[in-house]
Amino acid sequence: GMTHLVAVSGTHCAIVTGFVFLLARAARSPPWLVALVSTLTVVGYVVLCQATPSVVRAGLMGTIALVALATGRIRAAMPALGATVTVLVVVDPQLAVTAGFALSVMATAGLLLLAPGWRDALRRWGVPRGLAEAVAVPAAAQVAVSPLLAGMSGTVSLVSVVANLVATPVMVPATLLGVLAAVVSPVWLPAAEFLAWLASWPAWWLVLVARH
C-alpha cells in the first residue's frame, strides 16, 4: 500500500520541478526563464530516472500538474490532461490496460482537482505556503489513486491509509535530497554523500512505517 511513495511517478516529477520553479520565482527570473528552467528540469528528471515509458509518462503528467498549480488554471489543465491521455492511448493502445498508466493519470487528476483546495485551506489555517503544498500535493495524489488500488488488489486496507498519512509528509524531502545527491555526485562526491545521508533519515521513516 506504500509502493507509490517509492515508484517513479508524476507526483515525484512535480515535486522536483516545483522546487526548481519556486527557486526561479524567488530569484525574480522572467517568466520565459522560469518556464525554460522548469522544462529542462523535467528533461533532466527523465534522463536521471532513465527514459522508460513509465518515466516519460510521469514527466508528462507531472508537467501538466505543475503548470496548472503554478498558474492557477485548473480548468485549462483538465482538458490538457484528457488530451494527453487520448494521444498516448492512440499512440500505444496497450496503455489502456496498464496499471502504472492508470495510476499516473489518477494521481495527476488528484493534483489538479484536490490539491489546490487543500493547499488553500491549509494556508487559511496559518500553514506556510511551501509546507501547505508539500502536504496537499502527495495527500491529494494518494486519495485519488486509492480507489484504483483497491480495485486492483481487491481489498481496502485501513492500515495502509493510516500508514500513508503518516509517511507521506517525508516524501518531499526524501525525493529532493535524493535527486540533489544524484546530481551533485559526479562533481562533488563528499557533498553528495552528505546529501544522501540527509535523505536517509526521511527514507528511514518510510521503512519504519512500512514495517510496523
Side-chain angles (χ1 to χ4, degrees):
M2 295 175 60
T3 304
H4 68 100
L5 295 180
V6 293
V8 178
S9 69
T11 304
H12 293 89
C13 184
I15 289 172
V16 175
T17 312
F19 176 71
V20 174
F21 176 89
L22 292 175
L23 286 180
R25 288 284 294 270
R28 300 184 182 278
S29 303
W32 66 268
L33 183 58
V34 174
L36 176 61
V37 171
S38 299
T39 301
L40 290 176
T41 302
V42 173
V43 174
Y45 175 87
V46 171
V47 172
L48 178 65
C49 297
Q50 301 183 7
T52 60
S54 62
V55 176
V56 174
R57 292 196 302 269
L60 287 171
M61 298 301 174
T63 301
I64 293 172
L66 177 69
V67 171
L69 292 174
T71 61
R73 301 185 64 182
I74 304 301
R75 292 183 178 179
M78 287 306 295
L81 174 61
T84 301
V85 171
T86 301
V87 170
L88 289 174
V89 171
V90 168
V91 172
D92 184 5
Q94 186 63 30
L95 290 176
V97 292
T98 303
F101 179 66
L103 291 171
S104 293
V105 174
M106 290 300 294
T108 303
L111 296 181
L112 298 178
L113 296 175
L114 301 177
W118 291 3
R119 175 199 59 197
D120 295 342
L122 289 172
R123 292 191 65 192
R124 287 195 295 270
W125 293 340
V127 179
R129 180 182 179 88
L131 180 59
E133 291 188 345
V135 173
V137 167
Q142 168 61 23
V143 169
V145 301
S146 291
L148 189 56
L149 290 173
M152 290 164 53
S153 64
T155 61
V156 177
S157 172
L158 296 180
V159 174
S160 178
V161 174
V162 175
N164 277 280
L165 289 175
V166 174
T168 292
V170 304
M171 190 174 74
V172 173
T175 301
L176 291 178
L177 289 169
V179 170
L180 285 173
V183 171
V184 172
S185 61
V187 294
W188 192 7
L189 189 58
E193 291 175 344
F194 177 69
L195 290 169
W197 176 77
L198 291 178
S200 72
W201 289 101
W204 168 82
W205 178 249
L206 287 176
V207 174
L208 187 69
V209 172
R211 283 179 176 169
H212 296 283

